[in-house]
Amino acid sequence: MLDVCLLGTSGMMPLPGRALTALMTRFNGSSLLIDCGEGTQVSIREKGWSIHSIDIICITHVHGDHVSGLPGLLLSMGNAERREPLEIVGPRGTRRVVEALLTIAPGLPFSIDVTELGERFHCLERHGYCIEAFRVNHTVPCYGYSQVIRRAGRFDVERARAGDVPMAAWSRLQKGETVELEGRTYTPDMVLGQERKGLKVTYCTDTRPMPEIAGHARGADLFICEGMYGGDDMLNKARENRHMTFSEAAALAREADVPELWLTHYSPSLIRPGEYMEETKKIFPYARPGRDRKTKVLQFEQEQAE
């Protein structure tokens, strides 16, 4: 089970009832945060979630509306006596920005490890997540992120017995561990069936449309994409600032063949996103306007009865 919460949906500046951009997910006791705009920790508290379980923060890019909430969040973590290390992932330049922000959040009782991205694609294994980072097209280096939760195959008793795998190793092998017993090495593939469908959420903001975005979103259970501007009358503005309109985001979702699209990162001038949804749904019927603290629980597919 993967909990997904869109904490903030505003771009450029916060508005009453609309915090700056951020997304939080929870899986197996670990939380992941993408971006940390102003108002992020307030939105987390209003949602009733905890900052204590955040193990990794992924930054799309280092514009202020995506990182301005970091000092306050880090101070709150420190005041709550956090001791576990925190990892921050982002494009080149992230370390410099984090170090600068820490001048107003000094003396934290936990370490911060910064991982900078430079290639067009990275895959990071962290806390049960496979984090896929892919470069997009903005005015500065910027990445979209997919969070993939893999799901191992079912435990196969017959396979385990056929391979003479001792029962003492079964439990650990089922958890994905490699086990050594009596001079022999046992691996999970010796007892597990074919990998089952997992969960995937793709998040992309501050970019012009690119075919690669649809490719990375393909197979996602939920695609969250910027819609800076509602109407196509703002297309020239979107091109100039390297952002997207609702219809462009909808076209990407259609190409990716996802079951659901959430729009986010609205321009401050876009007061009522819902007014543009009728036209947007003509392109992609499963488009939804994002709102602060919009939440979805993604469940693994149920096994078919045998």
Side-chain angles (χ1 to χ4, degrees), residues 238-260:
R239 288 170 174 161
E240 178 184 348
N241 296 324
R242 296 197 193 173
H243 285 290
M244 275 194 264
T245 64
F246 278 23
S247 61
E248 288 177 317
L252 285 175
R254 180 182 60 194
E255 175 65 23
D257 193 24
V258 293
E260 189 170 1

Side-chain angles (χ1 to χ4, degrees), residues 11-222:
M12 297 176 62
M13 64 183 69
L15 297 176
R18 190 186 290 175
L20 285 174
T21 182
L23 175 79
M24 187 170 175
T25 61
R26 305 188 304 182
F27 173 72
N28 200 26
S30 178
S31 295
L32 181 149
L33 186 66
I34 299 182
D35 283 339
C36 188
E38 184 179 343
T40 294
Q41 68 167 317
V42 174
S43 195
I44 293 173
R45 295 179 188 279
E46 289 182 347
K47 176 62 184 173
W49 287 11
S50 171
I51 64 173
H52 306 307
S53 59
I54 298 174
D55 292 310
I56 185 166
I57 300 175
C58 296
I59 303 298
T60 57
H61 63 297
V62 292
H63 279 166
D65 56 336
H66 293 255
V67 298
S68 56
L70 268 176
L73 177 66
L74 297 176
L75 281 170
S76 292
M77 288 178 168
N79 291 333
E81 300 184 350
R82 179 193 180 100
R83 295 294 184 272
E84 297 80 15
L86 175 71
E87 183 177 12
I88 298 179
V89 175
R92 288 173 181 165
T94 298
R95 180 177 288 103
R96 172 180 50 83
V97 170
V98 169
E99 290 174 351
L101 292 174
L102 287 176
T103 61
I104 57 173
L108 296 174
F110 56 91
S111 64
I112 297 177
D113 302 316
V114 178
T115 299
E116 291 194 331
L117 309 173
E119 304 299 325
R120 297 202 63 83
F121 178 79
H122 294 261
C123 184
L124 309 174
E125 298 282 352
R126 301 289 192 275
H127 306 285
Y129 296 96
C130 173
I131 303 169
E132 298 177 348
F134 52 93
R135 182 84 65 83
V136 294
N137 178 17
H138 193 40
T139 56
V140 297
C142 185
Y143 284 84
Y145 292 96
S146 290
Q147 303 165 50
V148 180
I149 309 296
R150 295 195 178 97
R151 192 181 188 197
R154 295 177 62 127
F155 186 83
D156 189 332
V157 174
E158 295 305 318
R159 176 182 290 190
R161 288 174 174 164
D164 292 325
V165 179
M167 292 183 65
W170 287 9
S171 176
R172 292 174 60 191
L173 290 170
Q174 191 171 8
K175 295 175 183 177
E177 300 178 27
T178 297
V179 179
E180 290 190 10
L181 285 175
E182 299 179 353
R184 185 179 174 189
T185 300
Y186 302 94
T187 55
D189 61 280
M190 300 173 71
V191 299
L192 299 179
Q194 185 176 359
E195 184 174 323
R196 292 168 289 178
K197 183 184 181 304
L199 299 172
K200 180 178 178 180
V201 175
T202 299
Y203 181 90
C204 181
T205 184
D206 289 65
T207 179
R208 290 295 298 146
M210 302 167 60
E212 294 87 345
I213 295 174
H216 287 294
R218 194 161 290 118
D221 300 279
L222 176 63

